[in-house]
Amino acid sequence: VEEILKPFRLSNENLKEISKRLLKAMEEGLRNKTVGSDHPSIRPSVKMLSSHLKERPNGTENGGFLALDMGGTKLRAYYVEVMNGKIKLEPKSKEWTIPQELKNESGTQLFDYIVKNLGAFVETLKLEGNPKLPLGFSFSFPCDHKSLYKCFLTKWTKGFKCSGVERKDVAKLLREAIGRKGGLNIHPIVMVNDVVATMMSCEDENCQIGMIIGTGTNACYMEEMKNVGTEDGEEGQLCINTEWGGFGDDDSLKDFLTEFDKNLDNESDNPGEHIVEKMISGKYLGEIVWRVLLELKEKKLLFEGSVSDNLRKKDTFETRFISEIEENSEKNGLENADKILSDLDLKVNSTDPSLVKMVCDTISSRSARLCAAALVTIANRIRTNRGLPHLKITVGMDGTVYKKHPNFSEKLKEALRTLSPECDINIKVVDDASGKGAALVAAVAQRLCGQ
Ligand code: BGC
């Protein structure tokens, strides 16, 4: 078992090397002017996209704002009241699970679905009478932002394949769907990536980094304008959406990928793309464990060497099982493992639950440690940009993997402490971060443009 799990165990030295390579990829992304390009040889792996956002709320923003948050699995609508740059009360909200089939339909069907639900939400709040409702749209996919109001989807991730959306302006597609429905006076639509919204929603003036570890993974941070080759201007700072999930797409993680990672990637919807995301995020963690369990079964180290029809299917081992099996009190976790495996009709002997737990722990630890390496890289980038010997910084964090796994946050924090003595990195989890942040971005946009 140890032999099979060994390639997943990344030492501190490995993480330092990975961090060095990530910094290099980030610098390449910042220099690159061909961000929207389709050509793999001129596309940087870590895209370092401009969010067009240079400031946080300054305390003068006021009003009611709608927000939409479209993630990898859920769609959420919010109504947020902002007073003096802060969110007044807990926002009103509603959530829908995006039907799996819709992810393969046309873009028109997807946007009509979004607007149908948004319309119903606006109706329940009796907001239709408002002269016009500004909306912040947190869209959790890589986009080439031309402005806060115009953003072109570069590539679907997280299993979405809706036709007619890639390389199109997402704000325009939403506006057209609002027009098709009629009766909704929504204007303007302000576009923001979910990780940027997460950073914006964190009410801490030291918060200069945002991170998401959920269905997908991403990070953003405040970069000095003078270092951003893709934007004009030298003064001040700009929030950069790193799209670090694409790290490794140029083979820079080749020597750290296991056979399991390679097979998962080859059989995925987007082979060769979002390599590090496939080692880390909730969409893939369950599948990695599943692949390892099958290998252990093959070697007759688990389930008495037999497999059930259930375990033959790719999506049967869900990522949430990892959290249940790693439940903190030893007994609960093992009992959960026993139940999950028995429900999958497997022949479970007395040692199988602890072996499966060991597999889960190894895979989730690798994920947490890779995320720590990314945070350390970004924090050190900010520190050296400012010529500081030491940096105290806050990260606005969101995502189901970070929030729901019983000890993911501990694993990540432990790695942070050993990897970067020069940075004091404080993590702050924000609930409903994307929705709140999108509304705040719409509020800042209103102040800046007076729309
Ligand atoms: C997307 C990012 C997003 C992240 C977290 C990734 O798959 O490319 O844009 O921020 O998931 O939701």
Side-chain angles (χ1 to χ4, degrees):
V1 175
E2 255 316 309
E3 215 171 277
I4 288 170
L5 293 180
K6 199 162 164 238
F8 288 101
R9 299 197 199 285
L10 299 175
S11 66
N12 290 343
E13 285 317 305
N14 293 154
L15 294 180
K16 284 182 191 156
E17 175 58 29
I18 289 171
S19 169
K20 238 192 250 165
R21 295 185 198 178
L22 176 60
L23 180 63
K24 187 162 166 272
M26 283 167 56
E27 287 169 348
E28 273 163 19
L30 283 174
R31 274 196 301 271
N32 199 297
K33 292 196 192 284
T34 53
V35 162
S37 170
D38 266 349
H39 199 288
S41 64
I42 50 175
R43 241 178 42 208
S45 64
V46 180
K47 297 193 186 63
M48 307 297 277
L49 304 171
S50 162
S51 66
H52 282 272
L53 205 68
K54 296 182 179 161
E55 1 188 334
R56 300 173 56 92
N58 71 357
T60 62
E61 298 82 0
N62 290 298
F65 297 86
L66 282 173
L68 271 178
D69 167 25
M70 182 179 151
T73 36
K74 305 272 185 198
L75 172 73
R76 298 186 186 90
Y78 297 83
Y79 182 67
V80 183
E81 286 182 68
V82 177
M83 204 175 157
N84 302 332
K86 293 221 153 80
I87 293 176
K88 224 166 88 182
L89 302 163
E90 254 323 280
K92 303 199 172 71
S93 66
K94 188 151 168 66
E95 172 182 295
W96 303 267
T97 299
I98 303 170
Q100 196 51 39
E101 323 80 72
L102 197 59
K103 298 183 182 169
N104 298 318
E105 302 282 1
S106 71
T108 311
Q109 279 161 302
L110 174 69
F111 283 90
D112 282 347
Y113 165 84
I114 296 174
V115 172
K116 183 186 83 190
N117 289 321
L118 176 65
F121 176 69
V122 171
E123 210 168 292
T124 52
L125 295 180
K126 312 221 178 315
L127 293 170
E128 305 101 309
N130 279 29
K132 71 177 180 182
L133 289 161
L135 177 132
F137 187 6
S138 162
F139 187 67
S140 320
F141 301 90
C143 284
D144 190 5
H145 273 254
K146 297 294 179 211
S147 71
L148 282 174
Y149 308 98
K150 211 177 211 184
C151 94
F152 293 80
L153 172 66
T154 28
K155 199 103 193 128
W156 280 122
T157 56
K158 299 180 279 205
F160 274 79
K161 284 193 238 151
C162 301
S163 55
V165 189
E166 284 182 341
R167 291 177 299 283
K168 296 275 168 56
D169 174 8
V170 178
K172 183 160 176 263
L173 295 178
L174 182 67
R175 217 164 20 245
E176 287 170 355
I178 290 175
R180 281 196 294 279
K181 180 176 181 312
L184 283 171
N185 193 4
I186 292 176
H187 180 79
I189 294 169
V190 180
M191 298 297 304
V192 61
N193 184 273
D194 57 346
V195 78
V196 176
T198 297
M199 189 187 88
M200 288 292 279
S201 68
C202 173
E203 285 179 1
D204 177 327
E205 52 187 36
N206 253 338
C207 182
Q208 310 245 347
I209 302 179
M211 187 173 228
I212 294 196
I213 317 167
T215 311
T217 185
N218 201 358
C220 69
Y221 72 105
M222 297 307 286
E223 176 58 87
E224 303 303 313
M225 272 296 284
K226 63 177 185 322
N227 296 334
V228 189
T230 51
E231 295 290 309
D232 296 332
E234 297 277 295
E235 290 304 305
Q237 298 171 340
L238 173 70
C239 178
I240 294 287
N241 165 16
T242 64
E243 286 293 338
W244 94 287
F247 178 42
D249 294 7
D250 57 357
D251 277 350
S252 56
L253 284 176
K254 213 169 167 184
D255 41 336
F256 293 107
L257 294 177
T258 66
E259 285 313 304
F260 304 98
D261 297 310
K262 291 180 199 159
N263 292 338
L264 179 148
D265 177 45
N266 285 336
E267 292 168 33
S268 71
D269 291 330
N270 51 350
E273 288 171 7
H274 271 221
I275 295 296
V276 91
E277 178 162 282
K278 288 173 181 158
M279 301 166 86
I280 285 178
S281 76
K283 177 153 173 56
Y284 307 100
L285 287 180
E287 184 180 333
I288 307 177
V289 171
W290 171 74
R291 287 179 182 274
V292 175
L293 297 188
L294 283 185
E295 177 68 13
L296 291 173
K297 183 263 343 164
E298 209 47 47
K299 298 227 146 59
K300 305 213 174 345
L301 294 164
L302 270 181
F303 318 134
E304 296 172 13
S306 67
V307 67
S308 65
D309 284 347
N310 272 333
L311 199 71
R312 279 199 191 92
K313 290 185 234 134
K314 188 166 153 181
D315 294 327
T316 35
F317 200 91
E318 297 174 38
T319 296
R320 73 182 163 90
F321 294 165
I322 301 179
S323 299
E324 289 169 22
I325 292 172
E326 284 188 66
E327 198 50 63
N328 275 334
S329 96
E330 185 73 11
K331 192 146 172 267
N332 270 350
L334 293 180
E335 274 170 11
N336 292 344
D338 195 36
K339 169 137 193 355
I340 289 166
L341 300 170
S342 308
D343 286 351
L344 292 173
D345 296 330
L346 292 160
K347 281 191 196 152
V348 188
N349 74 19
S350 58
T351 53
D352 285 350
S354 37
L355 278 189
V356 173
K357 185 169 180 192
M358 191 166 142
V359 176
C360 291
D361 173 56
T362 309
I363 308 296
S364 63
S365 298
R366 182 181 69 156
S367 166
R369 289 171 65 75
L370 282 167
C371 292
L375 279 183
V376 162
T377 313
I378 295 172
N380 271 319
R381 165 90 194 169
I382 298 177
R383 184 178 66 76
T384 44
N385 271 348
R386 299 185 191 163
L388 298 171
H390 190 268
L391 177 79
K392 194 165 184 293
I393 198 155
T394 301
V395 180
M397 178 71 84
D398 200 5
T400 40
V401 172
Y402 188 87
K403 293 203 298 202
K404 300 229 164 113
H405 186 285
N407 49 33
F408 192 94
S409 59
E410 268 322 302
K411 297 180 196 201
L412 190 150
K413 286 176 191 163
E414 193 192 307
L416 282 183
R417 282 190 290 271
T418 37
L419 289 177
S420 185
E422 305 88 357
C423 297
D424 183 356
I425 305 175
N426 165 33
I427 296 185
K428 211 165 167 178
V429 173
V430 189
D431 287 325
D432 289 324
S434 304
K436 288 177 182 166
L440 286 171
V441 173
V444 171
Q446 189 173 62
R447 164 168 64 82
L448 296 174
C449 305
Q451 288 216 47

